[in-house]
Amino acid sequence: MYAFNYHRPASIDEAISALSGASDGTVMSGGQTLLPTLKQRLASPSDVIDLGAIAALKGIREDGGAIVIGAGTCHAAVAGDATVRAKIPALAALAEGIGDPQVRNRGTIGGSVANNDPVADYPAGLLGLGATIKTTKREIAADDFFTGLFETALADDEIITEISFPVPQKAGYAKFPNPASRYAIVGVMAAQGPAGVRVAVTGASEGGVFRVAEMEAALGGNFSAEALAGIGVPEDNMNADIHASAAYRAHLVGVIAKRAVEAAG
Amino acid sequence: MPSVSMTVNGKAVSGEVEGRTLLVEFLRQNLSLTGTHVGCDTSQCGACVVHVNGESAKACTVLALQAEGAEVTTIEGMAQNGTLHPIQAAFKEHHGLQCGFCTPGMVMSAADLLQRNKNPDETEIRDWLEGNICRCTGYHNIVKAIHAAAQAMRG
């Protein structure tokens, strides 16, 4: 790891001012992705602004017809929260399937969303459930937030504060995990709710998370796994690596989408 | 150089560290608590698992400064007055180790499981050990030891 200046602000305002004052600062939430990245010297920020001490970023609440999760809430807290488990069990299941227990104790929803790893689970969760990302500047719909490989709509001096999930009538998440990392080779969130019928896929595409309009249309008429029979996605732009070829991933999207719909019950 | 203060195994400690100093480096080098091991250094193997404020964490993927003010427990804090913790005793009794390198992390991880779930079944134990890798035992006796420890701790 290259040396950096470490900051531990106690409030969001202090975090923004530390970030603005740094020549090449980066924000750290749980650090479960950033620290391995720094160790590999894939990044060399001048300053690391640790959000871990900001209590206002943590917590889960119900707000009207939505579940609102603070950006600094760890995966284990989301997975174990009684309200999330009752209202959006698919989201609890998604959080429970991330990494391992130690990663889930420290890694956070805001960190995962801001990083937008093309094989991470949460981007599919947010896009599939039609979530809204609240930041220090504005509110951004998930549809407008994930803009490409590790790219988001966030500005350099903008921090995610919370994420609001409209409670769906039904939703299911299924993934085919990499057996070592538990990242998604393909992961699908399928949901029917206030944001319509949505099918969001992570892990598969070079461009990161995406929706499948044809599947959404089919499920709109009949929200069942049978409705997805014969609907595939093209191999173009699918990830290909030693774990799965582009063709295999394209095939998996169809299989895992059906499992997600079945999981929605 | 920034200084950091925390409580480790019930004792207040502090030291000077760099921003990039890892918690595991602080424990091993500043405090000479070498029971916490560094296996992969990439947060995969779990040999470095300690508890931070009561929850298991991989000390190779936490900065020392992130643990400012925290209560940290390492494998050295498990035995009390010379008596092995029931999980340690069960690992010994059930031959839950061969070379022993992964054992501190296994014990700390198991301790977090058993505080959340007092009666885990075999599947739950195996799922929980997702982040702890052992190259000797084939896991079978580790699972047996954790099962036995759970029983002993329930009394």
Side-chain angles (χ1 to χ4, degrees):
Chain A
M1 228 184 302
Y2 294 111
F4 52 78
N5 301 310
Y6 172 86
H7 306 263
R8 191 172 171 79
S11 69
I12 295 166
D13 287 347
E14 279 176 48
I16 293 290
S17 97
L19 190 55
S20 311
S23 60
D24 182 20
T26 192
V27 169
M28 176 168 76
S29 191
Q32 299 303 288
T33 299
L34 181 65
L35 291 173
T37 305
L38 295 178
K39 284 183 183 183
Q40 292 177 79
R41 296 189 166 184
L42 294 172
S44 54
S46 63
D47 295 70
V48 170
I49 293 104
D50 175 10
L51 305 180
I54 304 177
L57 291 176
K58 295 183 170 67
I60 299 170
R61 66 175 204 276
E62 212 176 336
D63 186 0
I67 303 292
V68 182
I69 302 179
T73 308
C74 70
H75 309 320
V78 174
D81 183 81
T83 308
V84 177
R85 292 175 81 96
K87 300 282 183 178
I88 320 182
L91 188 62
L94 177 152
E96 183 101 57
I98 296 173
D100 59 48
Q102 288 73 40
V103 168
R104 294 196 288 274
N105 279 342
R106 298 205 58 92
T108 70
I109 186 169
S112 172
V113 168
N115 191 47
N116 192 18
D117 191 314
V119 296
D121 297 284
Y122 267 124
L126 269 66
L127 193 59
L129 292 166
T132 301
I133 296 102
K134 297 184 182 176
T135 76
T136 46
K137 290 176 186 282
R138 57 194 163 139
E139 295 191 0
I140 311 170
D143 283 309
D144 303 322
F145 184 85
F146 301 107
T147 53
L149 188 76
F150 294 106
E151 294 289 338
T152 69
L154 283 176
D156 285 346
D157 60 346
E158 185 173 21
I159 294 174
I160 300 174
T161 54
E162 57 187 29
I163 294 155
S164 176
F165 294 91
V167 175
Q169 282 125 39
K170 48 169 80 176
Y173 183 69
K175 82 164 156 174
F176 192 86
N178 177 310
S181 69
R182 296 294 186 238
Y183 274 116
I185 288 178
V186 169
V188 177
M189 176 67 84
Q192 184 176 35
V197 171
R198 301 168 73 99
V199 176
V201 181
T202 189
S205 167
E206 286 174 353
V209 65
F210 66 97
R211 289 172 65 185
V212 187
E214 206 183 335
M215 289 184 178
E216 292 177 355
L219 292 172
N222 172 17
F223 197 87
S224 74
E226 296 76 50
L228 296 179
I231 303 177
V233 294
E235 284 176 39
D236 311 339
N237 305 320
M238 287 283 141
N239 285 320
D241 54 30
I242 57 166
H243 306 295
S245 66
Y248 186 65
R249 274 191 169 82
H251 175 73
L252 271 183
V253 171
V255 174
I256 301 301
K258 286 181 195 142
R259 287 186 194 170
V261 171
E262 278 163 5
Chain B
M1 209 180 261
S3 68
V4 66
S5 302
M6 64 187 84
T7 304
V8 177
N9 301 330
K11 206 172 114 192
V13 298
S14 58
E16 298 214 322
V17 295
E18 286 188 83
R20 61 182 167 178
T21 303
L22 299 169
L23 177 59
V24 72
E25 293 169 339
F26 180 71
L27 294 171
R28 290 178 57 86
Q29 288 160 29
N30 293 51
L31 305 181
S32 298
L33 293 172
T34 54
T36 303
H37 292 165
V38 180
C40 67
D41 197 25
T42 55
S43 60
Q44 296 177 61
C45 80
C48 66
V49 171
V50 300
H51 292 194
V52 179
N53 293 329
E55 296 191 322
S56 58
K58 291 182 169 173
C60 81
T61 311
V62 180
L63 298 173
L65 287 164
Q66 282 179 283
E68 171 67 36
E71 301 264 349
V72 175
T73 308
T74 71
I75 189 68
E76 288 92 343
M78 294 300 275
Q80 296 297 325
N81 305 318
T83 305
L84 291 180
H85 185 280
I87 300 173
Q88 292 173 304
F91 269 67
K92 186 179 174 191
E93 170 71 20
H94 294 276
H95 206 84
L97 61 147
Q98 286 180 32
C99 87
F101 190 87
C102 72
T103 313
M106 288 285 179
V107 169
M108 298 312 291
S109 186
D112 193 8
L113 169 65
L114 297 186
Q115 71 185 355
R116 292 162 195 262
N117 181 351
K118 297 198 182 323
N119 191 15
D121 62 25
E122 182 181 341
T123 306
E124 288 169 328
I125 295 171
R126 287 184 184 275
D127 283 352
W128 185 267
L129 295 179
E130 168 66 32
N132 293 85
I133 294 172
C134 173
R135 298 287 76 155
C136 305
T137 63
Y139 302 97
H140 187 69
N141 286 353
I142 292 174
V143 175
K144 220 159 81 178
I146 294 171
H147 205 255
Q151 219 164 11
M153 288 164 72
R154 288 198 307 274

